Amino acid sequence: MQVSSSTQVFEPAAKSSVIKPLFSEKLSKDEALEIREQIRQNANAMAFNSAVIQDGVSNVDDSFKQQHEEFKSFLKDIGYDGKPIAELSKDEAAELVSEDGFFGIEKTSQRIAEFVINGAGTDEDKLRAGREGMIQGFKEAEAMWGGELPEISQRTMEKAIEMVDKAMYDLGFSIIDKEV
């Protein structure tokens, strides 16, 4: 297991060359105190290092648990109440991303667009800002992905932008930015 560079690791005390070989000679009181101190330092270093490693392991678990709970909460927030994602069969997962599936192009683009449209109401500036936010988010997702996103993602975003554009048009707003 690797300990992060910010974690301090204590080294055991250096071995004393003063320790009598095979205890054939009696130890002086000072030598006995020195050995006790070395043992104390070594025990403290081992206890501290063990605690650091155990804490690192438990924090990984806690972080994973927290991320898992946040993901489940996200799914609930967007209306997904199906089988837990990790328990889906290949066919069930394929159904979720199919054309009519919960995570398919139609339903996902509708959720994205409705978020912007409902949040902006009839406010042109908010609609424009929401539309720009969708585009910016897509660009950031591509950067994180390391290039062009899969076709399903691209088609989903295109459809969501079309829906916001239509809502703007229906309200009498030009979809062309006035400042250009």
Side-chain angles (χ1 to χ4, degrees):
M1 174 169 293
Q2 211 172 23
V3 179
S4 71
S5 60
S6 65
T7 305
Q8 186 176 12
V9 177
F10 288 101
E11 296 294 326
K15 294 181 181 174
S16 172
S17 59
V18 182
I19 297 177
K20 308 294 181 193
L22 302 176
F23 297 99
S24 60
E25 300 177 23
K26 288 187 175 186
L27 297 174
S28 71
K29 190 174 186 178
D30 288 340
E31 290 172 326
L33 288 173
E34 182 183 336
I35 291 171
R36 279 189 207 139
E37 180 60 22
Q38 287 176 6
I39 291 171
R40 186 189 68 74
Q41 287 178 8
N42 288 347
N44 286 345
M46 286 190 303
F48 179 80
N49 292 339
S50 293
V52 166
I53 290 169
Q54 289 170 337
D55 182 51
V57 169
S58 69
N59 281 345
V60 168
D61 289 344
D62 291 345
S63 175
F64 177 78
K65 286 177 190 172
Q66 180 182 357
Q67 289 174 354
H68 180 68
E69 290 304 315
E70 288 172 0
F71 181 67
K72 287 187 341 186
S73 177
F74 164 75
L75 290 175
K76 184 180 177 190
D77 289 347
I78 63 170
Y80 178 75
D81 58 3
K83 190 175 184 179
I85 301 294
E87 297 174 15
L88 295 173
S89 70
K90 185 176 179 180
D91 291 339
E92 290 169 325
E95 177 61 30
L96 278 178
V97 296
S98 70
E99 194 65 37
D100 295 324
F102 186 83
F103 294 111
I105 295 168
E106 186 66 35
K107 290 181 180 175
T108 301
S109 60
Q110 186 175 1
R111 281 192 301 277
I112 294 169
E114 284 178 357
F115 178 79
V116 171
I117 294 166
N118 292 336
T122 59
D123 186 317
E124 180 181 5
D125 292 334
K126 288 181 181 177
L127 282 166
R128 288 189 186 288
R131 183 182 189 279
E132 184 57 38
M134 289 173 19
I135 294 168
Q136 182 60 38
F138 185 74
K139 288 177 184 175
E140 289 174 12
E142 282 186 321
M144 289 189 306
W145 183 261
E148 196 171 274
L149 288 172
E151 182 184 353
I152 188 172
S153 300
Q154 293 180 35
R155 290 181 45 211
T156 298
M157 188 50 57
E158 288 169 5
K159 183 125 177 114
I161 292 170
E162 286 174 16
M163 290 176 179
V164 171
D165 288 351
K166 182 175 180 334
M168 290 174 64
Y169 178 81
D170 290 347
L171 290 168
F173 306 132
S174 171
I175 59 169
I176 299 172
D177 192 346
K178 292 185 271 186
E179 296 178 17
V180 175

